[in-house]
Amino acid sequence: MNFSDLAGRRVAVWGHGREGRSVSAHLSALGIPHDVVVPDEEDGPDPQVAYGDRARSLLLAAEVAVKSPGIPVTSPLYGQVVAGGTVVTSLTDLWMSDNAPRTVAVTGSKGKSTTASLLSHVLDHAGRRASLRGNIGTSVLEEPDPPSELVVMELSSYQAQSLTVSPRVLVVTSLFPEHLTWHGSEEAYYRDKLNAAAHGPEVVVVPGSDDALLARVRAAAPGAPLLATGRHTVGVTEDGAVVWADGTRVDRDDLPLLGRHQAVNIALAALAAQHLGVAPDVVAAAVRTFRALPHRMERVPSADHRTWIDDSLATAPEAVVASLASLPDDRVALLVGGADRGLDFTPLTDYLARRPDVTVLLVGPAGRRVHDTAGVGRLFASFADAVTWARSGDNPASVVLLSPGAPSFDEFESYEQRSAAFRAAAAAR
């Protein structure tokens, strides 16, 4: 279904945040009448639970509802709307239905923002007129003038769930459990995430070293051609360099991103660019000029003798393991914890058992659960207490790493606010 299919049908725009407002404005520009469904004022401000009788009647009366990503498919109202016969779609699917041939989408539990940004950077460097859009913050409706030749789209699991057409090229960076409340279960999360591969992509680019990911992609999209990183395409050597099959190479010290997991992301972006016709030497030159995104293994200014690293977007245990693995030779003080969403911390605690050089500083409900169930780390009453100790002479580490493995909402309004508190502690004299 595309936007033109909505003409002459009764349409409801479900949600009026940033994406809902852009959909409503676009429909108005196309001359397509529609109802805007917002939370009933008397039911409170939370858009996930505050839809009452008025909203329900509008959605059930609609032939098509364009749902915002923030509304979970596990909500009772979503089930009622689908059961009532309303077709539920999304901005992503409406747009993709018209633009799939020029779209390279990047999805994954972690690494998608960096990989998408790097791929867009490489394509621009090669003169391919790419634009970066999607979950990274720019609406797909914001078309540059002249229109871009290629759209690199960061694709969340929320957005992928609704797709009925796949992008031309899909890059899958990693897979581990995330957003389980929204999706309903771990298996539903994987199904919804990999729905992006299930509708005829030209190719799916995957990390060749991740057997579990490869198996899930094959199961979700048995007919999709796979293009895997490795020594026959673009791979990562034992010493952390990115190497092409023709011998083109970017050594580890020349890579713009810290850690082997980031080298894999670079290889994925390079392989996707090569599939799109960009020569290895051009990709390699572009890689060297890329700069890391904020809050992803980002070194921040510090006033003590230690290195402070902001990895506050690592909000799953597996992401923390990858970040720690990029610092194998450093004595690390690791800040872990925050709001508890019930994720399994065993991958992290198993890894920490092999890294006695890591001093673990635990905060928040998630940190308390790690402390109580695994018996690791030192529990602090607040984030402020933890970073104060990290700055003190009691801390034996040379690196202080904020890689929380959990959201920030126990103490902070956002991950940016938590990051700001970390940076302020690093710079304090």
Side-chain angles (χ1 to χ4, degrees), residues 253-283:
D253 292 344
D254 293 328
L255 295 176
L257 305 171
L258 205 63
R260 185 178 182 84
H261 64 301
Q262 297 284 31
V264 172
N265 290 335
I266 291 169
L268 288 165
L271 188 53
Q274 183 171 296
H275 176 78
L276 294 166
V278 183
D281 62 325
V282 176
V283 179

mmCIF file of all heavy atoms in Angstrom, residues 253-283:
data_model
loop_
_atom_site.group_PDB
_atom_site.id
_atom_site.type_symbol
_atom_site.label_atom_id
_atom_site.label_comp_id
_atom_site.label_asym_id
_atom_site.label_seq_id
_atom_site.Cartn_x
_atom_site.Cartn_y
_atom_site.Cartn_z
ATOM 1 N N ASP A 253 44.456 0.856 13.465
ATOM 2 C CA ASP A 253 44.767 2.186 13.989
ATOM 3 C C ASP A 253 44.233 3.305 13.101
ATOM 4 O O ASP A 253 44.157 4.458 13.542
ATOM 5 C CB ASP A 253 46.274 2.342 14.167
ATOM 6 C CG ASP A 253 46.823 1.459 15.284
ATOM 7 O OD1 ASP A 253 46.010 0.970 16.102
ATOM 8 O OD2 ASP A 253 48.047 1.231 15.334
ATOM 9 N N ASP A 254 43.871 2.979 11.858
ATOM 10 C CA ASP A 254 43.322 3.984 10.942
ATOM 11 C C ASP A 254 41.801 3.974 10.908
ATOM 12 O O ASP A 254 41.188 4.822 10.241
ATOM 13 C CB ASP A 254 43.858 3.748 9.521
ATOM 14 C CG ASP A 254 45.353 4.000 9.418
ATOM 15 O OD1 ASP A 254 45.854 4.871 10.154
ATOM 16 O OD2 ASP A 254 46.020 3.330 8.610
ATOM 17 N N LEU A 255 41.191 3.018 11.614
ATOM 18 C CA LEU A 255 39.726 2.969 11.650
ATOM 19 C C LEU A 255 39.201 4.084 12.546
ATOM 20 O O LEU A 255 39.787 4.375 13.595
ATOM 21 C CB LEU A 255 39.245 1.611 12.160
ATOM 22 C CG LEU A 255 39.555 0.399 11.283
ATOM 23 C CD1 LEU A 255 39.098 -0.876 11.974
ATOM 24 C CD2 LEU A 255 38.896 0.526 9.917
ATOM 25 N N PRO A 256 38.096 4.697 12.168
ATOM 26 C CA PRO A 256 37.581 5.831 12.954
ATOM 27 C C PRO A 256 36.786 5.425 14.184
ATOM 28 O O PRO A 256 36.392 6.284 14.969
ATOM 29 C CB PRO A 256 36.673 6.548 11.950
ATOM 30 C CG PRO A 256 36.170 5.451 11.067
ATOM 31 C CD PRO A 256 37.312 4.475 10.940
ATOM 32 N N LEU A 257 36.540 4.114 14.357
ATOM 33 C CA LEU A 257 35.678 3.627 15.437
ATOM 34 C C LEU A 257 36.438 2.621 16.283
ATOM 35 O O LEU A 257 37.266 1.856 15.769
ATOM 36 C CB LEU A 257 34.413 2.978 14.863
ATOM 37 C CG LEU A 257 33.602 3.855 13.906
ATOM 38 C CD1 LEU A 257 32.510 3.038 13.238
ATOM 39 C CD2 LEU A 257 32.999 5.036 14.656
ATOM 40 N N LEU A 258 36.131 2.615 17.563
ATOM 41 C CA LEU A 258 36.840 1.803 18.532
ATOM 42 C C LEU A 258 36.184 0.437 18.670
ATOM 43 O O LEU A 258 34.970 0.338 18.846
ATOM 44 C CB LEU A 258 36.802 2.530 19.885
ATOM 45 C CG LEU A 258 37.874 2.250 20.913
ATOM 46 C CD1 LEU A 258 39.242 2.663 20.379
ATOM 47 C CD2 LEU A 258 37.557 3.051 22.187
ATOM 48 N N GLY A 259 36.971 -0.635 18.560
ATOM 49 C CA GLY A 259 36.461 -1.956 18.874
ATOM 50 C C GLY A 259 36.222 -2.845 17.662
ATOM 51 O O GLY A 259 35.898 -2.380 16.574
ATOM 52 N N ARG A 260 36.361 -4.153 17.898
ATOM 53 C CA ARG A 260 36.169 -5.108 16.815
ATOM 54 C C ARG A 260 34.735 -5.104 16.304
ATOM 55 O O ARG A 260 34.497 -5.264 15.104
ATOM 56 C CB ARG A 260 36.563 -6.513 17.291
ATOM 57 C CG ARG A 260 36.513 -7.547 16.174
ATOM 58 C CD ARG A 260 36.959 -8.918 16.639
ATOM 59 N NE ARG A 260 36.936 -9.832 15.515
ATOM 60 C CZ ARG A 260 37.906 -9.964 14.627
ATOM 61 N NH1 ARG A 260 38.991 -9.227 14.740
ATOM 62 N NH2 ARG A 260 37.786 -10.807 13.621
ATOM 63 N N HIS A 261 33.761 -4.928 17.200
ATOM 64 C CA HIS A 261 32.368 -4.907 16.745
ATOM 65 C C HIS A 261 32.131 -3.732 15.802
ATOM 66 O O HIS A 261 31.341 -3.832 14.860
ATOM 67 C CB HIS A 261 31.410 -4.853 17.929
ATOM 68 C CG HIS A 261 31.501 -3.627 18.772
ATOM 69 N ND1 HIS A 261 32.657 -3.243 19.423
ATOM 70 C CD2 HIS A 261 30.581 -2.686 19.088
ATOM 71 C CE1 HIS A 261 32.442 -2.125 20.100
ATOM 72 N NE2 HIS A 261 31.194 -1.760 19.903
ATOM 73 N N GLN A 262 32.837 -2.622 16.026
ATOM 74 C CA GLN A 262 32.713 -1.493 15.109
ATOM 75 C C GLN A 262 33.431 -1.774 13.787
ATOM 76 O O GLN A 262 32.983 -1.325 12.727
ATOM 77 C CB GLN A 262 33.275 -0.227 15.755
ATOM 78 C CG GLN A 262 32.528 0.221 17.004
ATOM 79 C CD GLN A 262 31.189 0.882 16.681
ATOM 80 O OE1 GLN A 262 30.532 0.558 15.693
ATOM 81 N NE2 GLN A 262 30.792 1.818 17.516
ATOM 82 N N ALA A 263 34.516 -2.532 13.837
ATOM 83 C CA ALA A 263 35.174 -2.929 12.585
ATOM 84 C C ALA A 263 34.234 -3.794 11.743
ATOM 85 O O ALA A 263 34.207 -3.684 10.505
ATOM 86 C CB ALA A 263 36.466 -3.683 12.895
ATOM 87 N N VAL A 264 33.444 -4.649 12.401
ATOM 88 C CA VAL A 264 32.448 -5.456 11.671
ATOM 89 C C VAL A 264 31.394 -4.554 11.048
ATOM 90 O O VAL A 264 30.983 -4.755 9.894
ATOM 91 C CB VAL A 264 31.812 -6.496 12.614
ATOM 92 C CG1 VAL A 264 30.646 -7.203 11.920
ATOM 93 C CG2 VAL A 264 32.851 -7.514 13.071
ATOM 94 N N ASN A 265 30.952 -3.525 11.787
ATOM 95 C CA ASN A 265 29.990 -2.583 11.212
ATOM 96 C C ASN A 265 30.571 -1.874 9.990
ATOM 97 O O ASN A 265 29.866 -1.636 9.000
ATOM 98 C CB ASN A 265 29.566 -1.555 12.267
ATOM 99 C CG ASN A 265 28.704 -2.155 13.357
ATOM 100 O OD1 ASN A 265 28.045 -3.164 13.150
ATOM 101 N ND2 ASN A 265 28.727 -1.541 14.524
ATOM 102 N N ILE A 266 31.844 -1.517 10.062
ATOM 103 C CA ILE A 266 32.509 -0.885 8.917
ATOM 104 C C ILE A 266 32.536 -1.844 7.733
ATOM 105 O O ILE A 266 32.261 -1.457 6.587
ATOM 106 C CB ILE A 266 33.933 -0.445 9.304
ATOM 107 C CG1 ILE A 266 33.868 0.724 10.300
ATOM 108 C CG2 ILE A 266 34.750 -0.049 8.063
ATOM 109 C CD1 ILE A 266 35.191 1.068 10.937
ATOM 110 N N ALA A 267 32.839 -3.115 7.994
ATOM 111 C CA ALA A 267 32.862 -4.104 6.916
ATOM 112 C C ALA A 267 31.486 -4.277 6.289
ATOM 113 O O ALA A 267 31.356 -4.424 5.058
ATOM 114 C CB ALA A 267 33.382 -5.444 7.446
ATOM 115 N N LEU A 268 30.439 -4.251 7.104
ATOM 116 C CA LEU A 268 29.070 -4.360 6.571
ATOM 117 C C LEU A 268 28.745 -3.180 5.658
ATOM 118 O O LEU A 268 28.199 -3.359 4.565
ATOM 119 C CB LEU A 268 28.072 -4.419 7.719
ATOM 120 C CG LEU A 268 28.037 -5.713 8.534
ATOM 121 C CD1 LEU A 268 27.278 -5.509 9.838
ATOM 122 C CD2 LEU A 268 27.404 -6.849 7.722
ATOM 123 N N ALA A 269 29.052 -1.966 6.119
ATOM 124 C CA ALA A 269 28.803 -0.785 5.289
ATOM 125 C C ALA A 269 29.623 -0.844 4.006
ATOM 126 O O ALA A 269 29.136 -0.504 2.918
ATOM 127 C CB ALA A 269 29.129 0.484 6.072
ATOM 128 N N ALA A 270 30.872 -1.281 4.115
ATOM 129 C CA ALA A 270 31.736 -1.375 2.937
ATOM 130 C C ALA A 270 31.204 -2.393 1.939
ATOM 131 O O ALA A 270 31.229 -2.162 0.716
ATOM 132 C CB ALA A 270 33.154 -1.757 3.376
ATOM 133 N N LEU A 271 30.700 -3.519 2.447
ATOM 134 C CA LEU A 271 30.180 -4.558 1.553
ATOM 135 C C LEU A 271 28.910 -4.089 0.859
ATOM 136 O O LEU A 271 28.707 -4.342 -0.344
ATOM 137 C CB LEU A 271 29.928 -5.832 2.350
ATOM 138 C CG LEU A 271 29.555 -7.088 1.568
ATOM 139 C CD1 LEU A 271 30.560 -7.374 0.458
ATOM 140 C CD2 LEU A 271 29.457 -8.282 2.523
ATOM 141 N N ALA A 272 28.034 -3.380 1.587
ATOM 142 C CA ALA A 272 26.829 -2.828 0.963
ATOM 143 C C ALA A 272 27.194 -1.812 -0.109
ATOM 144 O O ALA A 272 26.606 -1.794 -1.204
ATOM 145 C CB ALA A 272 25.940 -2.187 2.019
ATOM 146 N N ALA A 273 28.163 -0.949 0.183
ATOM 147 C CA ALA A 273 28.602 0.046 -0.805
ATOM 148 C C ALA A 273 29.205 -0.628 -2.028
ATOM 149 O O ALA A 273 28.960 -0.202 -3.169
ATOM 150 C CB ALA A 273 29.613 0.998 -0.169
ATOM 151 N N GLN A 274 29.980 -1.669 -1.812
ATOM 152 C CA GLN A 274 30.570 -2.394 -2.936
ATOM 153 C C GLN A 274 29.477 -3.022 -3.802
ATOM 154 O O GLN A 274 29.564 -3.004 -5.046
ATOM 155 C CB GLN A 274 31.517 -3.468 -2.403
ATOM 156 C CG GLN A 274 32.257 -4.239 -3.489
ATOM 157 C CD GLN A 274 33.342 -5.129 -2.911
ATOM 158 O OE1 GLN A 274 34.301 -4.648 -2.330
ATOM 159 N NE2 GLN A 274 33.174 -6.440 -3.056
ATOM 160 N N HIS A 275 28.431 -3.580 -3.164
ATOM 161 C CA HIS A 275 27.310 -4.130 -3.921
ATOM 162 C C HIS A 275 26.650 -3.069 -4.781
ATOM 163 O O HIS A 275 26.163 -3.364 -5.883
ATOM 164 C CB HIS A 275 26.285 -4.746 -2.971
ATOM 165 C CG HIS A 275 25.057 -5.256 -3.656
ATOM 166 N ND1 HIS A 275 25.026 -6.452 -4.345
ATOM 167 C CD2 HIS A 275 23.813 -4.710 -3.784
ATOM 168 C CE1 HIS A 275 23.820 -6.626 -4.858
ATOM 169 N NE2 HIS A 275 23.064 -5.589 -4.531
ATOM 170 N N LEU A 276 26.657 -1.842 -4.308
ATOM 171 C CA LEU A 276 26.055 -0.727 -5.043
ATOM 172 C C LEU A 276 27.020 -0.097 -6.043
ATOM 173 O O LEU A 276 26.707 0.938 -6.633
ATOM 174 C CB LEU A 276 25.552 0.323 -4.059
ATOM 175 C CG LEU A 276 24.382 -0.127 -3.172
ATOM 176 C CD1 LEU A 276 24.177 0.839 -2.008
ATOM 177 C CD2 LEU A 276 23.104 -0.263 -3.989
ATOM 178 N N GLY A 277 28.187 -0.705 -6.224
ATOM 179 C CA GLY A 277 29.080 -0.279 -7.288
ATOM 180 C C GLY A 277 30.204 0.646 -6.893
ATOM 181 O O GLY A 277 30.871 1.215 -7.776
ATOM 182 N N VAL A 278 30.451 0.825 -5.589
ATOM 183 C CA VAL A 278 31.534 1.694 -5.146
ATOM 184 C C VAL A 278 32.803 0.864 -5.007
ATOM 185 O O VAL A 278 32.811 -0.166 -4.333
ATOM 186 C CB VAL A 278 31.192 2.386 -3.812
ATOM 187 C CG1 VAL A 278 32.311 3.346 -3.416
ATOM 188 C CG2 VAL A 278 29.862 3.124 -3.924
ATOM 189 N N ALA A 279 33.877 1.308 -5.616
ATOM 190 C CA ALA A 279 35.135 0.562 -5.639
ATOM 191 C C ALA A 279 35.759 0.505 -4.240
ATOM 192 O O ALA A 279 35.628 1.444 -3.449
ATOM 193 C CB ALA A 279 36.115 1.210 -6.609
ATOM 194 N N PRO A 280 36.467 -0.591 -3.905
ATOM 195 C CA PRO A 280 37.061 -0.731 -2.574
ATOM 196 C C PRO A 280 37.967 0.416 -2.155
ATOM 197 O O PRO A 280 37.920 0.854 -1.007
ATOM 198 C CB PRO A 280 37.848 -2.045 -2.691
ATOM 199 C CG PRO A 280 37.090 -2.845 -3.696
ATOM 200 C CD PRO A 280 36.606 -1.834 -4.696
ATOM 201 N N ASP A 281 38.796 0.933 -3.083
ATOM 202 C CA ASP A 281 39.706 2.008 -2.690
ATOM 203 C C ASP A 281 38.938 3.289 -2.346
ATOM 204 O O ASP A 281 39.349 4.057 -1.460
ATOM 205 C CB ASP A 281 40.739 2.270 -3.782
ATOM 206 C CG ASP A 281 40.127 2.717 -5.100
ATOM 207 O OD1 ASP A 281 39.020 2.246 -5.447
ATOM 208 O OD2 ASP A 281 40.748 3.538 -5.803
ATOM 209 N N VAL A 282 37.811 3.506 -3.014
ATOM 210 C CA VAL A 282 36.983 4.681 -2.715
ATOM 211 C C VAL A 282 36.333 4.514 -1.342
ATOM 212 O O VAL A 282 36.275 5.458 -0.540
ATOM 213 C CB VAL A 282 35.918 4.889 -3.808
ATOM 214 C CG1 VAL A 282 34.989 6.047 -3.453
ATOM 215 C CG2 VAL A 282 36.586 5.131 -5.157
ATOM 216 N N VAL A 283 35.833 3.301 -1.051
ATOM 217 C CA VAL A 283 35.238 3.041 0.258
ATOM 218 C C VAL A 283 36.283 3.227 1.349
ATOM 219 O O VAL A 283 36.027 3.873 2.372
ATOM 220 C CB VAL A 283 34.644 1.620 0.323
ATOM 221 C CG1 VAL A 283 34.062 1.363 1.712
ATOM 222 C CG2 VAL A 283 33.582 1.417 -0.742
#
